[in-house]
Amino acid sequence: MEKAKVYFTKDISSLSILKIYQALGCELKGNVAVKVHSGEVGNQNFLGPDFFKDIMEFIKGTIVECNTAYDGERNTSEKHLKTFAKHGWTKYNVDLLDEVGPDLELDIPNGKIIKKNYVGKNLIKYDSMLVLSHFKGHPMGGYGGALKQLSIGVASSYGKAYIHGAGDPEKIWTSDHNSFLESMADAASSVVKFFAGKIAYVNVMKNMSVDCDCCAVAEDPCLNDIGVLASLDPVAIDQACIDLVKQSKDRGKDHFMERVNSRNGLLTIEAAERLGIGTKDYELIEI
């Protein structure tokens, strides 16, 4: 596999997100799903709708999300839609993919841990997808980026429990940890294949806490903002973000990487590469 192209800019703004997407040279056509993280109520680090204004006006897509599998303000459709409104997302078209069941079942014939992925059934309405990821840490996955958005992010509430439980939703918090990490890679691969090349990724390295935007109570960011990245390769873009943290002279990088490494977070990247949905070998192109 040849090197993947990952575009990078230090400019962190709504306009820079549009420009770096345009640098990819791809055109997402038809009904475009724009995957975001709606942000748990109480979280101070998530990136809100104003931050994505220019790309949304350009693409004219639909904001998509799925309900969570844990208690909070996003675990039912009724509460999640209220959270969308509270956080300002309803200025755009919003679609809770799993608002009404049954789930859409995606096969993963080459999955190492799971052979099925359960996603919101409304995914079938979309022709292409833009994955907008806030790159940050995560209490269980170690870090959150494009691969997490593809897996846990697109999975239905049941599908999230299924991935966390490595195929057994009853073991959502008790499954073998590495099996959970590899299940995320399995699930991500099914969404990549569902869109068959009609998918692009933007990672924003801003407000980088060790905690996810799903945490109602989260640590403040421990790293200074780094920039915005875009790629057609979900493995390469996540690996590039990890490398930019490691190369940073910011003293907070040790705290951030301790979270990543203590959860063996890089295993998800390695597993996704083995599944053939991307490569860790990339060329970073600064614009």
Side-chain angles (χ1 to χ4, degrees):
M1 186 177 290
E2 61 184 49
K3 285 187 177 183
K5 289 182 170 62
V6 179
Y7 294 88
F8 170 66
T9 177
K10 294 177 183 176
D11 178 25
I12 304 178
S13 65
S14 177
L15 185 57
S16 74
I17 291 173
L18 173 58
K19 288 181 176 179
I20 204 166
Y21 164 74
Q22 291 173 321
L24 291 174
C26 74
E27 183 182 357
L28 298 177
K29 298 181 179 180
N31 198 11
V32 184
V34 183
K35 178 65 181 72
V36 303
H37 195 300
S38 53
E40 185 60 47
V41 174
N43 185 280
Q44 75 274 34
N45 300 317
F46 77 94
L47 304 178
D50 290 344
F51 193 72
F52 300 112
K53 175 179 179 292
D54 289 289
I55 190 73
M56 288 302 300
E57 289 181 355
F58 180 80
I59 286 185
K60 295 179 171 58
T62 299
I63 295 290
V64 301
E65 255 280 41
C66 285
N67 293 320
T68 63
Y70 51 84
D71 289 340
E73 296 303 314
R74 300 182 302 132
N75 66 325
T76 69
S77 296
E78 181 181 10
K79 288 195 290 183
H80 204 160
L81 289 170
K82 287 180 180 178
T83 297
F84 263 121
K86 179 182 180 70
H87 288 166
W89 292 106
T90 47
K91 68 177 67 176
Y92 304 115
N93 291 328
V94 168
D95 186 3
L96 272 180
L97 298 177
D98 63 338
E99 182 176 5
V100 179
D103 293 341
L104 175 63
E105 191 176 306
L106 302 181
D107 290 325
I108 320 173
N110 64 332
K112 181 178 179 183
I113 305 297
I114 57 175
K115 302 296 183 181
K116 301 280 186 182
N117 185 26
Y118 298 90
V119 302
K121 77 167 188 177
N122 286 357
L123 195 70
I124 200 74
K125 299 191 307 186
Y126 298 95
D127 304 297
S128 57
M129 176 175 270
L130 175 62
V131 182
L132 297 176
S133 303
H134 175 205
F135 183 83
K136 69 284 183 190
H138 192 276
M140 288 192 71
Y143 85 95
L147 291 170
K148 180 177 179 292
Q149 278 280 60
L150 285 170
S151 55
I152 296 294
V154 178
S156 67
S157 181
Y158 174 83
K160 287 175 171 61
Y162 190 85
I163 294 167
H164 269 281
D168 183 352
E170 295 297 320
K171 296 182 178 179
I172 180 172
W173 308 126
T174 59
S175 68
D176 173 73
H177 185 70
N178 284 349
S179 294
F180 152 61
L181 296 172
E182 293 188 277
S183 292
M184 280 204 291
D186 289 340
S189 73
S190 71
V191 178
V192 170
K193 290 171 184 175
F194 178 85
F195 284 107
K198 294 172 287 187
I199 188 166
Y201 310 91
V202 173
N203 281 10
V204 183
M205 301 185 75
K206 175 181 174 64
N207 296 355
M208 288 178 286
S209 167
V210 296
D211 288 325
C212 181
D213 298 344
C214 56
C215 300
V217 179
E219 272 194 28
D220 287 334
C222 63
L223 284 169
N224 290 321
D225 299 342
I226 291 178
V228 181
L229 297 85
S231 184
L232 300 179
D233 185 316
V235 175
I237 195 171
D238 278 7
Q239 184 63 55
C241 287
I242 292 290
D243 291 342
L244 285 168
V245 171
K246 288 180 176 180
Q247 293 161 12
S248 168
K249 296 181 180 178
D250 193 319
R251 66 180 62 184
K253 73 176 181 181
D254 291 339
H255 182 50
F256 189 92
M257 288 308 302
E258 189 278 333
R259 172 60 60 90
V260 175
N261 293 328
S262 66
R263 272 62 168 183
N264 200 22
L266 302 185
L267 177 59
T268 303
I269 296 176
E270 294 162 3
E273 183 181 48
R274 286 194 293 268
L275 289 167
I277 62 169
T279 176
K280 293 191 296 180
D281 192 13
Y282 65 89
E283 176 187 6
L284 192 67
I285 304 166
E286 187 164 353
I287 62 172

